[in-house]
Amino acid sequence: MIQPYSNIYLLIAKYSQENISEEEYHILKAWMEEHADNKKVFSEYLIFLKNAQRVRFSAKVDEHLAWKVIHSKLKKRKTFSFRPYFKYAAVLLVLVSLTISYQLLQKPEENNNLVSEARVIKPGEPKAKLVLSDGRSVDLEGMNDSTLLLGNGLNIQIKNKTIDYSKAGVNSELMNTINIPKGGEYNLVLSDGTRIWLNSDSELSFPAKFNGEKRKIYLKGEAYLEVAKNKNFPFVVDVKGVQVEVLGTSFNVKAYDNVETTLVEGKVNILTNASSGVILQPGDQGIVDANDNSVEVKQVDTRIYTSWVNGMFTFRSMTLEEIMKTFERWYNVSVSYEEEELKQRHFSGNLKRYEEINPHLDLIGLTTDVDFKISGNNISVVKK
């Protein structure tokens, strides 16, 4: 049975959406004036609802426990009866307020937020090392609006955190390698005009100038590519021995674990030693199994897999373990778990990639039964 105080969270939600009637407003106002703590709950809940408009996490919640927790937090206050207004609460409260209210209120009042008081962990930033064919290494961090004179006629432009080989004016096919550390990212323009966004903890080897019958590069980690069109000059990405062949297209390749190719535009052909070729169409994702090199193809929302290029994390029913692996690479942190089963919590949400990690962990903690303890660059996931 829904108890009287359950209506309050419905009314606050309706108030936040400017969808509250005059009668409901007077009920809410009377409740706020009943006790000073009620005003605090009202304020905190409004702030959370505002944050929830920016990011939404979902997890399975025990509804019986949720109501039990709500009433345990309010039982010391005087009871104000809202029984005539139960009809407002049943559906919207469960859909909008239940999960949020449960997690917002289940923290003991005497406990401080573990994340908010911890050291702030900054997001990644453009940084990389360029390794030339003769072994020389150039640190690109902090460089901008520069020209690198590297000998052998190789003049490379750096602008807007992008290293550009398209006007290098060199005929050499000598291989260069760009290394992106954890907590880093960098952009690259190849000699043919192909644009590449490189994610953290990645490595790309490529020739200063494409010659021969194919344009071939070698990738570790993750990259988004917009390949310059030239149907007479095929483009090949070698990822852990898997060949991704393209003519002119936009796609994401992720190879931290299995090789995962997500096609946005154009057409690609995935070749492995177990497959003579699997063609992807726009909206397809091809996943190469690390054990037998078989290729699974499925239809996906490509925005989920390319949002990082546009400064967002997009999670759809991802496990906490998968999310924290993404955070490990981008924020250069190490993550441990108090209990293995915590890794399997599932979430959906959109987060800004260039924000500090602390607000993201706060929001996850508000809607789950986990907390985060931060010590230096180490994050421990614990159960509440």
Side-chain angles (χ1 to χ4, degrees):
M1 178 179 179
I2 298 177
Q3 298 297 318
Y5 270 107
S6 66
N7 282 12
I8 287 299
Y9 296 95
L10 167 68
L11 297 182
I12 299 175
K14 295 180 75 173
Y15 179 87
S16 72
Q17 298 170 0
E18 299 182 358
N19 189 32
I20 190 169
S21 69
E22 183 176 353
E23 183 181 27
E24 291 169 329
Y25 173 76
H26 287 303
I27 293 172
L28 182 60
K29 183 180 179 182
W31 175 78
M32 291 172 60
E33 292 174 348
E34 181 187 12
H35 197 288
D37 284 349
N38 292 353
K39 292 182 179 180
K40 182 179 179 182
V41 171
F42 173 79
S43 177
E44 290 177 347
Y45 194 50
L46 272 184
I47 292 172
F48 183 82
L49 288 173
K50 183 177 180 180
N51 285 334
Q53 293 173 2
R54 178 172 61 87
V55 56
R56 175 179 58 81
F57 285 94
S58 61
K60 185 177 180 180
V61 176
D62 184 327
E63 296 185 12
H64 176 74
L65 178 60
W67 292 122
K68 183 178 179 181
V69 171
I70 288 173
H71 290 292
S72 72
K73 298 295 291 183
L74 297 173
K75 66 182 180 181
K76 294 182 180 179
R77 302 173 189 172
K78 293 168 61 179
T79 302
F80 188 96
S81 178
F82 300 108
R83 294 184 184 277
Y85 306 99
F86 282 170
K87 63 181 180 179
Y88 295 112
V91 178
L92 185 60
L93 180 63
V94 172
L95 294 178
V96 177
S97 301
L98 178 59
T99 302
I100 300 174
S101 301
Y102 163 48
Q103 298 299 342
L104 180 64
L105 295 176
Q106 74 169 357
K107 295 184 179 181
E109 291 179 354
E110 63 274 13
N111 286 351
N112 293 321
N113 189 296
L114 297 175
V115 175
S116 62
E117 293 192 354
R119 184 180 72 83
V120 171
I121 296 178
K122 300 288 187 180
E125 59 185 350
K127 53 186 173 183
K129 284 190 177 179
L130 178 66
V131 181
L132 305 176
S133 58
D134 59 8
R136 285 182 294 161
S137 178
V138 181
D139 190 347
L140 301 178
E141 185 175 1
M143 283 192 179
N144 203 21
D145 295 329
S146 305
T147 300
L148 297 180
L149 305 176
L150 301 175
N152 298 320
L154 187 58
N155 301 328
I156 307 171
Q157 303 294 318
I158 298 179
K159 190 172 184 179
N160 298 325
K161 306 302 182 182
T162 300
I163 185 166
D164 190 346
Y165 278 73
S166 65
K167 299 177 182 178
V170 66
N171 293 320
S172 173
E173 200 176 8
L174 295 176
M175 296 297 289
N176 289 185
T177 299
I178 185 168
N179 291 298
I180 316 298
K182 289 184 176 180
E185 64 176 356
Y186 219 83
N187 300 336
L188 173 70
V189 179
L190 299 177
S191 62
D192 66 335
T194 292
R195 301 187 64 87
I196 301 178
W197 288 256
L198 288 160
N199 208 344
S200 53
D201 196 19
S202 298
E203 177 183 293
L204 184 75
S205 295
F206 58 95
K209 178 74 174 181
F210 287 115
N211 291 313
E213 297 180 353
K214 292 183 178 181
R215 298 171 286 170
K216 190 170 186 178
I217 61 175
Y218 300 82
L219 173 68
K220 298 177 182 177
E222 183 172 17
Y224 179 80
L225 299 91
E226 291 183 352
V227 177
K229 294 182 179 180
N230 188 336
K231 61 183 178 181
N232 297 318
F233 202 6
F235 194 99
V236 178
V237 184
D238 186 300
V239 194
K240 294 183 177 180
V242 175
Q243 312 292 306
V244 181
E245 292 187 347
V246 303
L247 293 177
T249 191
S250 301
F251 63 102
N252 195 82
V253 179
K254 184 177 181 180
Y256 296 116
D257 298 307
N258 293 333
V259 177
E260 179 184 287
T261 303
T262 306
L263 183 62
V264 177
E265 180 183 331
K267 185 181 293 186
V268 302
N269 185 21
I270 300 177
L271 298 164
T272 73
N273 57 16
S275 170
S276 59
V278 175
I279 302 293
L280 299 188
Q281 303 292 339
D284 284 348
Q285 182 180 81
I287 303 174
V288 180
D289 189 286
N291 296 317
D292 60 11
N293 276 342
S294 62
V295 182
E296 175 192 1
V297 179
K298 59 182 181 180
Q299 277 279 315
V300 299
D301 181 349
T302 61
R303 294 171 296 181
I304 296 173
Y305 303 92
T306 62
S307 62
W308 66 271
V309 176
N310 297 313
M312 295 293 295
F313 294 117
T314 300
F315 303 128
R316 292 293 180 271
S317 192
M318 287 182 64
T319 65
L320 182 59
E321 182 179 25
E322 292 172 313
I323 291 171
M324 296 308 290
K325 281 184 177 180
T326 298
F327 287 169
E328 280 184 308
R329 290 188 291 266
W330 181 236
Y331 292 97
N332 192 19
V333 295
S334 297
V335 178
S336 61
Y337 298 83
E338 181 182 52
E339 299 177 15
E340 283 293 307
E341 57 97 13
L342 297 178
K343 295 180 178 180
Q344 299 309 311
R345 300 293 189 268
H346 284 77
F347 310 98
S348 297
N350 301 306
L351 298 172
K352 293 181 179 178
R353 193 166 180 256
Y354 294 104
E355 284 190 353
E356 299 158 357
I357 196 174
N358 305 62
H360 300 340
L361 300 183
D362 279 333
L363 286 169
I364 294 175
L366 281 170
T367 55
T368 71
D369 60 348
V370 301
D371 260 329
F372 302 89
K373 294 181 179 179
I374 299 178
S375 177
N377 269 34
N378 299 307
I379 299 175
S380 178
V381 183
V382 301
K383 194 165 187 176
K384 291 178 181 176

